[in-house]
Amino acid sequence: MSNRPSWHVYFMKMAQLVSERSTCTRRQVGAVLVKDNQIIASGYNGAPKNVEHCEIVGCIREEQNIPSGSNHELCRGVHAEQNTIIQAAINGTSLENSVLYCTHFPCSLCAKMIINAEIETVYVLKNYNDDLSKKLFEESGTDVLLVDIDNNSLEKIV
């Protein structure tokens, strides 16, 4: 019997590895964009290029006691999903019919970008309760599945 991971486990573990580059002091998130079983871009959450990282200057959200899941615009960081889409754009790569592996369920801001980038399926390692994201994904027909890397299984969330 082979211990070879499935594609879903393989790409999700890659997203986990990417998350280790995160400079966010609250949550490390990683994402990998895949097309035809080939990684086309990756990203993690952190401050924009040439801007000091939160681990150096502090976290605005912590300082203002902003609860998780609200006021996403009040943050120095760019989300992992956003950075991944941006990297693909910088490289001139179409995301139509691609899939996204992300360590966490996307927020509503990222959900809108994912939908407009024509990413067809999102695989997540950790669910996150964002009702607006779920509604947007449902309306757009974008599937979201939870990956259980220990049991090599998938569960449809949206």
Side-chain angles (χ1 to χ4, degrees):
M1 179 179 266
S2 173
N3 288 333
R4 188 175 186 205
S6 68
W7 286 115
H8 297 302
V9 171
Y10 173 76
F11 291 125
M12 190 56 75
K13 285 186 175 184
M14 295 296 284
Q16 283 182 302
L17 179 62
V18 170
S19 76
E20 293 178 18
R21 292 275 308 150
S22 170
T23 59
C24 179
T25 59
R26 291 175 65 151
R27 177 178 292 121
Q28 291 187 304
V29 181
V32 175
L33 270 164
V34 176
K35 196 171 193 176
D36 300 324
N37 285 338
Q38 297 290 317
I39 295 172
I40 55 176
S42 65
Y44 52 88
N45 57 328
K49 290 179 181 179
N50 303 315
V51 173
E52 288 202 273
H53 298 292
C54 300
E55 60 189 12
I56 295 169
V57 299
C59 175
I60 296 168
R61 296 177 64 78
E62 290 277 321
E63 293 165 5
Q64 296 182 12
N65 292 317
I66 298 169
S68 180
S70 65
N71 299 96
H72 296 290
E73 72 282 1
L74 298 176
C75 179
R76 295 175 63 83
V78 179
H79 290 186
E81 303 93 325
Q82 295 167 346
N83 269 327
T84 306
I85 291 168
I86 291 164
Q87 286 306 310
I90 288 170
N91 293 319
T93 305
S94 170
L95 301 182
E96 183 179 14
N97 301 318
S98 64
V99 296
L100 177 71
Y101 289 84
C102 192
T103 56
H104 294 71
F105 187 89
C107 72
S108 58
L109 297 175
C110 290
K112 291 182 271 188
M113 289 183 70
I114 290 165
I115 292 163
N116 277 2
E118 299 184 12
I119 296 168
E120 68 179 22
T121 306
V122 179
Y123 295 94
V124 298
L125 185 61
K126 297 177 183 171
N127 201 353
Y128 179 74
N129 192 21
D130 188 320
D131 292 334
L132 180 55
S133 287
K134 288 181 181 175
K135 183 173 176 37
L136 292 168
F137 283 135
E138 284 174 4
E139 285 183 34
S140 70
T142 305
D143 291 330
V144 182
L145 294 99
L146 185 67
V147 178
D148 182 338
I149 58 175
D150 295 325
N151 295 313
N152 194 22
S153 64
L154 301 173
E155 174 189 341
K156 188 169 180 176
I157 300 174
V158 178

